[in-house]
Amino acid sequence: EGPVSSIGLAKDQELHGFVVEDIQSVSDLKLRAIRLRHQKTGAEWLHIDRDDKNNVFSIGFNTSVSDSTGVPHILEHTTLCGSEKYPVRDPFFKMLNRSMSTFMNAWTAHDYTQYPFSTQNAQDYENLQSVYLDAVFRPSLREVDFRQEGWRLERSDAADSTSGWQFKGVVYNEMKGAFSDAGSLYSTRAEQQLFPGTTYQYVSGGDPAFIPDLTHEQLVAFHRERYHPSNARVYTYGNLPLAPQLERVGRIMDTYDRISLAQVPMDVAEYGEKQVTELGPVESVGAPDKQTRFSLSLLANDLRNVYETFSMSIFSSLLLHGTSAPMHKALIDSHIGSDYSANTGYSPYTRRTSLAVGLQGISDSDIPLVETRIRETFARVRDEGFERRRIDAALAGVELAYRHRKADFGLSLMQSISTGWFHGVNPIEYFKVSENVARLRADVERGGYFESLAERYLLNSKHTLKYAMLPDAKYNQRLDQREHEMIQSKLDTLSSGDLAEIDRKNAVLAEEQMRKEDLSSLPTLTLADVPEQAGRFALDMGVAGDEVPVPVQWRATSTNGISYFRVINDVRDKYPELRPYLPLFCEALTYLGTKSRDMSEIETDIHLHTGGISFSPFVTTDLANLGHIEAGISYGSHCLDQHIEPMYRLVLELVRETNFDNTDRLRALLNAVASNMFNDVARSGHAYARRLAASTLAPEAQVLESLNGISQVKFISDLARLTDLAPVVEKLKQVQEVVFNKLTMRSAITTNSGSVDDNQRALELFLEKYPKLGSKEDASDGNGGGDAGQKFVPSSSRFFCPLPFATNYAGKAIRAVPYSHPDSVKLQLLAKFLTPNYLHREIRERNGAYGGGAGYSAVQGIFSFFSYRDPSPISTIDTFGRSIKWILEEHDISEREMTEAKLSVFGDLDTPLSVAEEGMSYFTTGITDDMRQERREQFFAVGPNDLKDVAAKYLASPESASVTSVAVIGEESLDISGDWTQMRLQ
């Protein structure tokens, strides 16, 4: 690995209107960084030359705001709705299926908006670059697209001119959903209060209370001011040559003249100490009298000091994270609250960075106690600093993280530099990780370094916010009331002629959404661009252990000096009563400590010697039989090759010696897990809705729902309310006894060829002390489906889970066929076909949900539909059904559409893997390289009639109704009647 695409470039060289300002090689990261500037406009360009075929392009603009209308966020959406060269309604979503991109997105941060993509195909890269550049510099920005993506007034029944009015719009609904997440709302409001008089007192993504103040004219003006080369940062990464890209982009930028940039206030005037109390939503899972959130937020260093920002991030980690952190001991171990508040941590995303510490799940009366604990801990850190081993462990973690090769390295590199770069920092400074680590080690060696940071920023802060959010049981009702008042205030200013004009515009939008488009202007790959052969990974199969041979999958490859270790322990369908405890059990293994050592000591060892140890529940389905599953736990770790022996020793210590009698820490863990799971439903409700719908259809889906679904959220919150944890302790001990068993174990090791022997020796020692239970026959019996002794029988259900959100999620699932069935590939292509050609238009464009689509899990054998942040989930469930009628009766599938569905599938199949993931699909599911190749060939062969056949057979037949379920998660006020099973969390 190393630079390949910029050989011959030199400092001060001019090329296609750009001048090279800086070139630096970073040997640690095997890259060469070239910083250029466009001479005419001042646009900045950073090129990372690295031998990596997953090439990245991004263009971004400074978009700091002066209000909370969400103008940069709505503009980000609207620029992707057609442009001069590509005058189609939604080129961004259309290109998802004309490309084999490994990533395509756009996002709005505090101070900037970025449009990144990555792909391994050179032609694809050129195609996407052309679409993105035309989108940002020459967008159509039509009012009709602004009304679809931003906000609009619309009748609740478009066909009835007497029906009431509502706000609709993709971003409007997205932000309503974001503000439904109590943690996200708390963080946003606290930050607004910390930075009055600056751009950060506003919500760049948009506050639903202010989004309807934005006009189309303001959007167009914001684009004219901000989307200009003088305000742009271009990032490129990978092994494609730089010169042709400079020429392509330079041609566009040369048509612009340099402008002076819009300035918004970023530096806050220090206000001493301020206390603010506001009202927020109630969480279903918490105790009613413990719903308050409180935090202290303090200004820290200027973001542009790269070394101090690095130091403060390490400082924050040492202060807060892990069971050995002083703040964890002071706040979490004391059981005052359920977990840290959502804003807790160091925030290097504003011009002046900040550090916040707080708790959620407390009672109002605990606020003074929490503040006292926080301030006492600040003083203790100033006086005593941090334990040297913990500092060494934190720095070891930084170094290991940079050695660990992620598949999306180019993208993650871009994200690590973007905030500083948009604030004027030379981005290359962020790559000098080993220099910063060495400097920090030297500062720590001299003594008093972290103590001085505590003194300066925590104890002598000239700008501190004390922010409390109290629970209001009527919070969502008040939000609804405020929305009705906003609608009414809009209507009060409109004449009957104005309302008729709004009706007309809505009719035009509805017509536009249904219009058949000519997509011939959009570039596309063809199936000839898709490699016929799937990538293969050389694996060796061996065994380890004398008494009981344990299967070992070896992958010897270039790993940058890192060894990766993974284990699966399978208990099949035995012990179904213990299954709901598996997620808690996995969390407890890295939280409770052992009889002889507390977790803080073990945790420091883990961070000194490994990249962490993780345990998680595991389930997969037999590739030929949906009724047979494997279920248990999976765990693993990775380390530098010099730490192989301690890595295995530490894993074994947790497996054998975890002290489940430590009920004090178990209670703290339960409270945190319950709170985090509830917040996760607000963020990922569509995934929970799909899991809930699928849970009645197949054994794996049933198990997944019990492990990571609504029933697990309810199970954990019920456990968290127990006063006596003795029964829970007993169950966790039983899980430990049955899960860790040499007889049901297999392992996988990925390492350098020179470290195979060291791993084999360490594994043999590991297995000598690994528990063994029963006989091989005992371990492998069981019917593999559903609860022990009971055959799983699929059934049809409808679930509704009411939650205190201002948004909704819908899911529908249908049982289909196992992985090895010839119809499996056709169903996977059908899902890829329905999403862009029907569901996207109906769910997102017409209904105003943030997202929706179809998917097919080939291993589970489940076809599913979903919607995300959806204003009308019940009508969306009808839409799911109509999509099948549409493909069967109303639509002829073209060869072009067929090719696009296949390109989308191949894009997924060929997503690059990190070294750690290579060969893992065989280890976890049994899918061999030959099976992947055979499936690949089947995809090429599928035709339009095949999609109609499987739609009719599995999704529209009378038999399919008995293996179809739906689920809705969302607002209590939804009009749901009939035979729905209600899933209440309390």
Side-chain angles (χ1 to χ4, degrees):
E1 285 186 21
V4 288
S5 64
S6 63
I7 293 155
L9 275 185
K11 195 170 183 305
D12 300 325
Q13 183 179 342
E14 290 179 32
L15 201 60
H16 303 298
F18 291 85
V19 64
V20 178
E21 293 191 334
D22 193 7
I23 299 184
Q24 295 189 41
S25 291
V26 184
S27 57
D28 287 1
L29 303 179
K30 297 184 169 65
L31 62 81
R32 189 171 184 229
I34 300 106
R35 201 159 55 86
L36 308 100
R37 190 177 295 274
H38 187 242
Q39 289 171 291
K40 188 178 176 194
T41 63
E44 292 185 42
W45 189 311
L46 178 67
H47 178 65
I48 305 298
D49 182 357
R50 193 165 184 266
D51 186 15
D52 184 345
K53 65 181 180 183
N54 194 23
N55 287 271
V56 180
F57 173 83
S58 170
I59 185 161
F61 304 91
N62 181 293
T63 51
S64 305
V65 294
S66 302
D67 61 40
S68 290
T69 59
V71 57
H73 187 187
I74 294 171
L75 180 59
E76 169 220 314
H77 280 241
T78 316
T79 52
L80 297 171
C81 288
S83 62
E84 200 173 281
K85 195 172 171 185
Y86 305 110
V88 300
R89 194 169 62 246
D90 201 342
F92 175 79
F93 279 96
K94 303 286 191 300
M95 285 305 294
L96 286 171
N97 313 295
R98 303 166 83 85
S99 152
M100 286 182 65
S101 64
T102 54
F103 183 86
M104 262 179 83
N105 210 339
W107 50 65
T108 300
H110 270 313
D111 291 307
Y112 58 89
T113 301
Q114 275 178 311
Y115 297 82
F117 70 79
S118 61
T119 179
Q120 302 177 93
N121 181 293
Q123 183 59 54
D124 199 23
Y125 186 91
E126 204 172 317
N127 292 351
L128 290 170
Q129 193 177 57
S130 175
V131 171
Y132 269 51
L133 289 168
D134 207 57
V136 297
F137 288 122
R138 304 273 190 271
S140 305
L141 297 187
R142 302 180 307 165
E143 187 188 8
V144 68
D145 297 317
F146 165 71
R147 298 178 77 254
Q148 172 182 287
E149 297 298 317
W151 74 275
R152 65 187 181 275
L153 270 174
E154 189 173 286
R155 294 191 188 275
S156 49
D157 180 355
D160 178 2
S161 61
T162 63
S163 63
W165 294 88
Q166 60 186 347
F167 283 134
K168 271 193 157 179
V170 174
V171 170
Y172 184 79
N173 278 317
E174 178 190 352
M175 296 314 294
K176 267 183 80 173
F179 277 61
S180 284
D181 176 348
S184 169
L185 176 71
Y186 182 83
S187 296
T188 300
R189 296 295 188 230
E191 188 169 76
Q192 288 180 278
Q193 294 289 350
L194 187 63
F195 292 103
T198 75
T199 180
Y200 309 116
Q201 82 176 49
Y202 304 110
V203 184
S204 59
D207 183 330
F210 297 99
I211 288 172
D213 293 339
L214 183 68
T215 66
H216 176 243
E217 293 72 24
Q218 289 168 328
L219 181 94
V220 173
F222 192 85
H223 176 269
R224 194 168 49 244
E225 275 175 31
R226 303 301 186 89
Y227 279 45
H228 188 285
S230 298
N231 195 32
R233 307 277 192 283
V234 177
Y235 173 90
T236 50
Y237 165 95
N239 63 4
L240 290 176
L242 175 61
Q245 301 191 62
L246 293 173
E247 186 178 6
R248 288 195 295 268
V249 179
R251 269 201 305 271
I252 297 168
M253 291 188 172
D254 285 343
T255 64
Y256 289 80
D257 295 314
R258 192 181 291 237
I259 59 167
S260 54
L261 302 178
Q263 298 296 320
V264 295
M266 292 184 174
D267 293 308
V268 67
E270 294 178 339
Y271 57 48
E273 189 163 291
K274 181 168 83 167
Q275 177 144 8
V276 177
T277 301
E278 295 185 297
L279 297 176
V282 171
E283 288 190 350
S284 300
V285 295
D289 59 338
K290 287 202 154 211
Q291 294 269 350
T292 295
R293 300 156 192 270
F294 172 78
S295 63
L296 280 185
S297 298
L298 309 100
L299 275 193
N301 62 295
D302 188 307
L303 169 73
R304 294 166 294 186
N305 184 329
V306 174
Y307 173 66
E308 198 158 338
T309 301
F310 172 74
S311 300
M312 281 298 294
S313 67
I314 299 292
F315 176 88
S316 166
S317 174
L318 292 166
L319 175 71
L320 296 163
H321 298 311
T323 57
S324 50
M327 202 60 79
H328 191 285
K329 291 176 178 176
L331 295 183
I332 308 297
D333 290 352
S334 62
H335 306 301
I336 308 168
S338 59
D339 201 359
Y340 286 134
S341 58
N343 62 332
T344 294
Y346 179 58
S347 174
Y349 307 110
T350 48
R351 173 66 62 85
R352 275 289 292 280
T353 65
S354 61
L355 181 79
V357 183
L359 273 181
Q360 61 190 34
I362 64 173
S363 59
D364 304 357
S365 57
D366 288 329
I367 290 175
L369 173 61
V370 174
E371 183 183 348
T372 301
R373 288 284 178 94
I374 292 171
R375 292 191 187 277
E376 285 172 352
T377 308
F378 287 166
R380 194 175 315 118
V381 169
R382 177 202 52 196
D383 296 341
E384 301 170 9
F386 301 114
E387 184 196 343
R388 182 58 196 263
R389 289 181 80 250
R390 288 190 66 233
I391 297 171
D392 290 340
L395 295 177
V398 171
E399 292 174 311
L400 179 58
Y402 270 86
R403 297 272 296 263
H404 169 59
R405 287 191 206 148
K406 293 197 293 192
D408 61 352
F409 184 77
L411 269 172
S412 54
L413 210 57
M414 181 193 84
Q415 288 168 300
S416 72
I417 64 168
S418 290
T419 304
W421 190 17
F422 277 96
H423 281 274
V425 178
N426 176 352
I428 299 175
E429 293 303 306
Y430 288 105
F431 302 150
K432 298 176 180 176
V433 178
S434 47
E435 284 179 34
N436 283 332
V437 168
R439 182 175 166 188
L440 186 53
R441 280 206 172 102
D443 280 342
V444 168
E445 201 62 52
R446 276 190 286 276
Y449 181 65
F450 286 127
E451 293 87 331
S452 70
L453 293 179
E455 176 77 33
R456 189 181 333 154
Y457 294 124
L458 307 186
L459 288 137
N460 289 330
S461 171
K462 297 181 178 62
H463 189 90
T464 302
L465 170 70
K466 300 197 286 190
Y467 183 69
M469 186 174 273
L470 308 183
D472 175 8
K474 295 189 172 168
Y475 181 81
N476 284 321
Q477 285 167 257
R478 291 186 215 281
L479 275 190
D480 289 344
Q481 180 61 32
R482 204 173 310 146
E483 186 178 62
H484 288 307
E485 288 166 5
M486 282 165 57
I487 291 168
Q488 193 55 50
S489 72
K490 292 268 183 206
L491 295 174
D492 288 345
T493 64
L494 300 170
S495 66
S496 57
D498 294 331
L499 294 177
E501 175 63 6
I502 288 173
D503 281 335
R504 186 193 69 78
K505 285 181 174 179
N506 287 336
V508 168
L509 173 59
E511 213 173 279
E512 176 68 15
Q513 288 165 337
M514 297 302 289
R515 181 170 61 85
K516 187 114 175 92
E517 290 191 285
D518 175 10
L519 303 179
S520 59
S521 64
L522 283 176
T524 183
L525 294 182
T526 68
L527 291 177
D529 294 302
V530 179
E532 288 182 14
Q533 297 296 313
R536 289 177 175 265
F537 305 109
L539 304 174
D540 292 308
M541 299 304 152
V543 293
D546 294 334
E547 176 204 4
V548 177
V550 170
V552 185
Q553 172 183 300
W554 292 95
R555 173 149 173 80
T557 185
S558 170
T559 63
N560 215 15
I562 298 176
S563 286
Y564 300 89
F565 172 52
R566 179 105 179 253
V567 169
I568 289 173
N569 266 117
D570 166 32
V571 293
R572 295 286 160 105
D573 57 329
K574 299 167 93 176
Y575 321 108
E577 75 286 355
L578 297 178
R579 197 176 287 141
Y581 290 90
L582 281 177
L584 177 63
F585 174 76
C586 290
E587 294 277 357
L589 289 166
T590 54
Y591 196 83
L592 298 184
T594 66
K595 289 274 198 295
S596 57
R597 297 210 296 161
D598 69 21
M599 197 61 218
S600 57
E601 187 185 340
I602 299 169
E603 189 177 73
T604 302
D605 278 349
I606 288 171
H607 291 167
L608 267 172
H609 299 297
T610 79
I613 299 172
S614 63
F615 296 82
S616 60
F618 169 80
V619 57
T620 190
T621 297
D622 188 299
L623 299 176
N625 183 346
L626 295 184
H628 282 237
I629 61 168
E630 217 186 2
I633 73 165
S634 165
Y635 61 90
S637 184
H638 65 280
C639 67
L640 293 173
D641 286 341
Q642 63 262 37
H643 294 145
I644 288 170
E645 186 276 324
M647 174 178 75
Y648 285 84
R649 179 167 39 77
L650 286 162
V651 174
L652 187 65
E653 182 176 3
L654 298 181
V655 164
R656 285 178 56 96
E657 299 173 35
T658 292
N659 178 19
F660 294 103
D661 289 312
N662 189 347
T663 50
D664 203 43
R665 288 189 66 74
L666 181 60
R667 182 165 303 286
L669 177 64
L670 267 171
N671 289 336
V673 170
S675 178
N676 289 337
M677 284 199 82
F678 181 80
N679 291 333
D680 192 49
V681 178
R683 284 187 292 271
S684 309
H686 61 305
Y688 282 87
R690 283 166 102 168
R691 279 195 287 269
L692 187 53
S695 64
T696 65
L697 304 178
E700 179 180 339
Q702 181 191 49
V703 172
L704 277 174
E705 215 289 318
S706 73
L707 295 173
N708 190 22
I710 291 295
S711 53
Q712 174 68 198
V713 179
K714 179 167 171 35
F715 177 76
I716 288 291
S717 57
D718 288 347
L719 292 188
R721 283 193 285 270
L722 293 175
T723 48
D724 178 14
L725 291 181
V728 181
V729 169
E730 204 43 52
K731 293 288 189 193
L732 294 176
K733 287 178 176 177
Q734 288 175 34
V735 173
Q736 183 186 33
E737 198 174 299
V738 301
V739 161
F740 295 127
N741 184 1
K742 220 184 286 197
L743 295 165
T744 64
M745 171 185 178
R746 64 181 184 272
S747 67
I749 295 167
T750 301
T751 188
N752 301 287
S753 52
S755 298
V756 169
D757 290 347
D758 289 347
N759 275 283
Q760 178 82 35
R761 273 192 298 275
L763 180 59
E764 297 284 356
L765 289 170
F766 178 86
L767 291 173
E768 278 177 22
K769 296 179 179 170
Y770 202 78
K772 177 189 168 208
L773 178 75
S775 68
K776 196 80 181 171
E777 290 69 33
D778 295 337
S780 61
D781 71 0
N783 62 24
D787 291 350
Q790 295 180 343
K791 189 165 169 44
F792 182 90
V793 180
S795 62
S796 172
S797 290
R798 296 199 292 175
F799 296 104
F800 173 49
C801 178
L803 288 172
F805 300 159
T807 189
N808 310 284
Y809 307 89
K812 178 176 181 174
I814 303 112
R815 178 180 165 117
V817 295
Y819 179 90
S820 60
H821 193 287
D823 286 344
S824 175
V825 290
K826 300 168 190 173
L827 287 158
Q828 195 168 337
L829 275 167
L830 176 62
K832 283 293 186 186
F833 173 81
L834 286 174
T835 298
N837 292 300
Y838 186 87
L839 296 168
H840 173 78
R841 178 185 75 216
E842 296 296 318
I843 297 171
R844 181 177 164 115
E845 293 180 353
R846 300 188 71 197
N847 180 38
Y850 184 53
Y856 183 66
S857 168
V859 175
Q860 278 184 50
I862 298 287
F863 193 99
S864 62
F865 299 88
F866 69 94
S867 71
Y868 182 72
R869 292 182 177 166
D870 186 347
S872 316
I874 305 302
S875 66
T876 294
I877 286 174
D878 293 336
T879 300
F880 296 154
R882 278 199 305 275
S883 70
I884 305 306
K885 184 174 187 295
W886 171 80
I887 191 176
L888 290 176
E889 300 174 15
E890 301 166 22
H891 186 74
D892 291 325
I893 303 169
S894 68
E895 277 304 324
R896 175 71 253 160
E897 290 168 334
M898 204 66 215
T899 296
E900 288 177 5
K902 290 180 183 180
L903 285 171
S904 186
V905 165
F906 286 124
D908 290 348
L909 294 179
D910 294 348
T911 297
L913 302 176
S914 68
V915 173
E917 295 165 315
E918 292 172 357
M920 279 299 121
S921 73
Y922 177 68
F923 179 66
T924 55
T925 64
I927 297 171
T928 65
D929 285 348
D930 286 343
M931 290 162 80
R932 289 193 300 117
Q933 182 59 37
E934 182 186 358
R935 193 172 179 87
R936 190 179 191 86
E937 289 160 14
Q938 289 171 346
F939 279 123
F940 277 113
V942 175
N945 287 338
D946 293 323
L947 298 197
K948 291 192 178 250
D949 289 347
V950 292
K953 184 174 179 181
Y954 299 106
L955 309 185
S957 66
E959 297 79 26
S960 68
S962 63
V963 287
T964 299
S965 290
V966 297
V968 170
I969 295 172
E971 297 171 278
E972 297 243 14
S973 57
L974 282 176
D975 181 19
I976 287 192
S977 53
D979 59 338
W980 289 75
T981 301
Q982 292 234 356
M983 303 265 301
R984 290 195 173 270
L985 292 187
Q986 273 195 332

